[in-house]
């Protein structure tokens, strides 16, 4: 089977690798270089920690386990060190207790830990008086471009053709296949197309007369946009994702630390450079969370943009009447990639997935449940 995969982010490369592994003849198309879109600005925290409804939790939990399986024996992109959450205020402590109870009932690996245990896990973590802690031991973080490279390398090794600078402007389907019209005037034909175009999904689907509504990062504020800060190298000990009420952080390689402050995201604008005050505020908060960070500077603050379907849930399935155009869109792309690597290619080649059933694009036929 000839399959055209559109979009060389972490989801598109995962799907391309999975298809090539199953013997499909794959061409992977991207208008830019691999990873230039949403993948490059992902927090890359592998988790199902706060995902609802329950079927969406189950999908993400299956994806967490898929990452562990994919990285079995070790991988340079995968860091299975868990997530340590510190709740200092009354409201945060109550929310944490409620979430831990819910996740434990769902058989999600989590345990409450004492301040002494938190110190053993993260010796440089500043522990506020009265704080409570939970350790989500199955969670992980990845270096997203390295993960993308793992998928892209497998796809190439198994014969996939990769074309960059290949912008797909239009898709059309017929009973016997698909035709993709490129910006340079070429037409590529295949038996099936899989669109993994992220936040450009709605526009691309519309070219085929299909409705897959996505939130627009230009107008949807913090729902789709968020700041990511990266520090210079600091001599602080940090080995895992740490989440607190005012700052989330994780190692970013070579002593750098990635920072996320969700309450600041309301001013994130993909069309504007982040104000210097954003980085300064992140550094001030970092000093109250992690010791040995004096002298840290902000190396970069960038605006991450999430690919968010209109109802907040993943889209996965054939969207056209001929079952020739398969659409994948999700704001949990890095987490779900290891699962989609197996599930989407299997569906494209004829084996229906048990876990992707709730996420068909047909649910938008009567309008998005935003």
């Amino acid at each position: 089977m000839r399959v055209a995969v559109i979009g060389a982010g972490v989801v598109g490369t995962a799907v391309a690798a999975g298809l090539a592994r199953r013997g499909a003849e794959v061409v992977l198309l991207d208008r830019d270089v691999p990873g230039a879109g949403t993948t490059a600005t992902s927090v890359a925290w592998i988790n199902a920690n706060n995902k609802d409804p329950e079927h969406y939790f189950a999908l993400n939990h299956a994806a967490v386990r898929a990452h562990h399986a994919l990285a079995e024996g070790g991988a340079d992109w995968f860091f299975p060190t868990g997530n340590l959450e510190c709740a200092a205020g009354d409201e945060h402590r109550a929310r944490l207790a409620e979430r831990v109870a819910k996740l434990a009932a769902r058989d999600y690996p989590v345990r409450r830990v004492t301040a002494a245990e938190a110190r053993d896990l993260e010796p440089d973590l500043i522990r506020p008086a009265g704080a409570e802690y939970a350790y989500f031991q199955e969670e992980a973080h990845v270096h997203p471009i390295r993960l993308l490279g793992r998928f892209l390398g497998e796809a190439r090794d198994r014969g996939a053709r990769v074309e960059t600078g290949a912008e797909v402007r239009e898709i059309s389907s017929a009973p016997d296949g698909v035709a993709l019209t490129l910006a340079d005037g070429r037409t590529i034909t295949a038996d099936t197309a899989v669109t993994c175009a992220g936040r450009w999904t709605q526009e691309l689907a519309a070219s085929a007369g299909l409705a897959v509504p996505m939130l627009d990062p230009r107008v949807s504020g913090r729902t789709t946009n968020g700041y990511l800060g990266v520090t210079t190298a600091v001599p602080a000990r940090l080995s895992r994702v740490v989440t607190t009420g005012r700052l989330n952080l994780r190692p970013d390689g070579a002593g750098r630390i990635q920072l996320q402050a969700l309450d600041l995201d309301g001013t994130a604008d993909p069309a504007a450079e982040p104000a210097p005050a954003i980085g300064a505020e992140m550094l001030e908060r970092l000093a109250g969370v992690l010791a040995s960070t004096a002298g840290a500077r902000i190396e970069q603050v960038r605006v991450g943009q999430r690919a968010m379907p209109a109802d907040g849930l993943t889209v996965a399935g054939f969207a056209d009447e001929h079952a020739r155009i398969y659409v994948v869109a999700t704001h949990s792309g890095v987490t779900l990639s290891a699962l989609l690597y197996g599930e989407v290619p299997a569906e494209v080649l004829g084996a229906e997935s048990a876990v992707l059933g709730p996420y068909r694009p047909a649910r938008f036929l009567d309008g998005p449940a935003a």
Side-chain angles (χ1 to χ4, degrees):
M1 176 181 282
R2 297 170 302 143
V3 185
V5 179
I6 304 166
V10 70
V11 172
T13 54
V15 170
L19 284 163
R21 182 165 64 101
R22 288 165 172 78
E25 181 184 335
V26 178
V27 57
L28 176 61
L29 307 167
D30 198 290
R31 65 182 181 183
D32 207 324
V33 297
T38 302
T39 300
T41 57
S42 172
V43 174
W45 169 20
I46 306 302
N47 77 95
N49 196 307
N50 200 18
K51 306 293 176 72
D52 283 302
E54 190 164 356
H55 65 76
Y56 191 57
F57 161 81
L59 180 74
N60 282 268
H61 193 194
V64 173
R65 295 192 297 265
H67 274 279
H68 283 271
L70 186 65
E72 188 174 4
D76 66 354
W77 48 268
F78 187 60
F79 302 87
T81 46
N83 160 36
L84 178 63
E85 183 166 352
C86 170
D90 290 341
E91 183 182 350
H92 191 175
R93 284 194 292 264
R95 285 189 283 108
L96 178 61
E98 180 181 2
R99 182 158 30 92
V100 166
K102 179 174 69 174
L103 290 172
R106 293 175 172 178
D107 294 324
Y108 191 68
V110 57
R111 61 185 175 90
R112 302 298 290 265
V113 298
T114 65
E117 290 172 315
R119 180 195 59 215
D120 291 340
L121 288 166
E122 290 295 342
D124 286 341
L125 178 66
I126 296 172
R127 297 174 298 281
E132 296 181 1
Y133 304 88
Y135 180 45
F136 303 86
Q137 58 264 40
E138 196 178 50
E139 295 180 10
H141 66 278
V142 304
H143 286 169
I145 298 300
R146 284 186 179 178
L147 173 59
L148 185 151
R150 181 255 178 262
F151 290 132
L152 184 63
E154 180 183 357
R156 287 184 183 275
D157 290 347
R158 294 183 181 276
R161 187 172 92 250
V162 180
E163 290 196 28
T164 58
E167 180 181 354
V168 178
R169 290 280 181 86
E170 185 176 321
I171 312 173
S172 61
S173 70
D176 60 347
V178 293
L180 282 58
T181 303
L182 275 59
D184 62 10
R186 288 185 296 147
T187 297
I188 291 178
T189 59
D191 297 306
T192 303
V194 183
T195 73
C196 304
R199 58 185 184 268
W200 298 279
T201 296
Q202 179 172 327
E203 177 183 354
L204 190 57
S207 76
L210 306 174
V212 185
M214 305 285 292
L215 297 188
D216 186 345
R218 295 169 297 180
V219 297
S220 53
R222 63 184 296 171
T223 303
T224 58
N225 300 314
Y227 293 115
L228 290 177
V230 178
T231 71
T232 53
V234 295
R237 291 170 291 182
L238 180 68
S239 60
R240 71 198 76 242
V241 173
V242 171
T243 50
T244 76
R246 301 185 72 226
L247 191 71
N248 300 333
L249 52 158
R250 70 159 176 84
D252 201 49
R256 298 178 180 86
I257 299 173
Q258 188 180 99
L259 309 174
Q260 179 189 49
L262 296 174
D263 62 303
L264 302 180
D265 287 350
T267 61
D269 182 353
E273 284 293 318
I278 297 296
E281 177 64 21
M282 287 180 170
L283 282 181
E284 183 177 335
R285 296 184 186 192
L286 177 63
V289 173
L290 199 65
S292 299
T293 55
R297 301 188 306 278
I298 289 291
E299 189 172 88
Q300 183 184 32
V301 176
R302 55 188 185 269
V303 175
Q305 295 177 258
R306 306 175 188 97
M308 183 74 73
D311 61 359
L313 299 176
T314 295
V315 176
F318 287 103
D320 66 314
E321 62 177 327
H322 306 298
R324 295 290 182 176
I325 301 174
Y326 192 105
V327 177
V328 184
T330 179
H331 74 284
S332 303
V334 175
T335 290
L336 292 179
S337 61
L339 182 68
L340 299 177
Y341 165 70
E343 299 296 320
V344 171
E347 288 212 315
V348 170
L349 297 176
E352 188 170 351
S353 167
V355 296
L356 296 181
Y359 307 105
R360 304 310 187 195
R363 70 183 189 265
F364 295 115
L365 291 177
D366 296 325

